[in-house]
Amino acid sequence: MSTATTTLWAIDPTHSSIQFKVKHLVISTVTGEFTDYSATVQAPAEGFEGAKVSFEAQVASISTGVGQRDDHLRSADFFDAQTYPTLRFESTRFAAKGADAFELEGHLTIRDTTLPVVLAVEFGGVVVDPYGQTKAGFELTGKISRKAFGLTWNATTEAGGVVVGDEIKLVASVQLVKQAA
């Protein structure tokens, strides 16, 4: 994609959230987020179909609101933040699925494992904010298997259930800021 015919967008972290949800003890859901991340989108001059998306999160920024759990998630039992400080996503396809719907495909890298991921994307629109910045909004959802990425730690309850579910729901609310040409 040549830069002459594209628009560069960057994520606005003050108006975005990157979250995950996982079952705990099979009966409830724990929500967490990454608080230190960056993303860019290189889109065609008109619209977003065919855009190239690049995302990176600092694993040490993981937060579930419980310090002891966050420390465990940063440990070698899960993300091993010391050895693998970032997780990354690089798109391979961004295709329209309707008027305000897209499908985003790409490769997600967690630890030393890279796997294909498909995310549903809802386009919220483009507006100019009171400060003259052009912004675009998106809601993204998807699911991954944590075990497929080497996040295999678990424990068994007295009743034989598991402490942490395998399916991770990904939920992101993203606001992009159009960058100067």
Side-chain angles (χ1 to χ4, degrees), residues 86-148:
T86 58
L87 64 83
R88 293 182 177 84
F89 175 84
E90 292 290 332
S91 70
T92 56
R93 184 175 162 269
F94 193 85
K97 298 302 254 182
D100 293 325
F102 292 87
E103 187 172 77
L104 176 59
E105 296 178 13
H107 295 108
L108 178 63
T109 302
I110 298 175
R111 294 174 58 113
D112 59 351
T113 302
T114 301
L115 294 171
V117 173
V118 178
L119 302 171
V121 180
E122 181 183 329
F123 177 54
V126 175
V127 299
V128 176
D129 74 8
Y131 306 101
Q133 295 181 313
T134 302
K135 297 196 172 183
F138 297 90
E139 300 289 330
L140 296 88
T141 57
K143 297 177 183 177
I144 62 170
S145 161
R146 70 179 178 89
K147 292 178 183 174

Side-chain angles (χ1 to χ4, degrees), residues 22-157:
V22 62
K23 285 292 188 183
H24 183 254
L25 299 174
V26 189
I27 61 169
S28 64
T29 300
V30 170
T31 300
E33 66 181 334
F34 291 95
T35 60
D36 184 3
Y37 52 85
S38 61
T40 58
V41 175
Q42 188 178 0
E46 298 297 323
F48 286 92
E49 184 157 13
K52 300 290 182 193
V53 178
S54 179
F55 171 83
E56 185 174 284
Q58 299 305 308
V59 173
S61 77
I62 199 165
S63 175
T64 63
V66 178
Q68 186 176 6
R69 179 173 47 217
D70 296 345
D71 289 343
H72 192 201
L73 289 170
R74 291 179 193 108
S75 78
D77 282 347
F78 286 97
F79 286 97
D80 195 358
Q82 188 168 5
T83 306
Y84 307 103
T86 58
L87 64 83
R88 293 182 177 84
F89 175 84
E90 292 290 332
S91 70
T92 56
R93 184 175 162 269
F94 193 85
K97 298 302 254 182
D100 293 325
F102 292 87
E103 187 172 77
L104 176 59
E105 296 178 13
H107 295 108
L108 178 63
T109 302
I110 298 175
R111 294 174 58 113
D112 59 351
T113 302
T114 301
L115 294 171
V117 173
V118 178
L119 302 171
V121 180
E122 181 183 329
F123 177 54
V126 175
V127 299
V128 176
D129 74 8
Y131 306 101
Q133 295 181 313
T134 302
K135 297 196 172 183
F138 297 90
E139 300 289 330
L140 296 88
T141 57
K143 297 177 183 177
I144 62 170
S145 161
R146 70 179 178 89
K147 292 178 183 174
F149 287 94
L151 306 175
T152 59
W153 181 91
N154 219 333
T156 306
T157 65

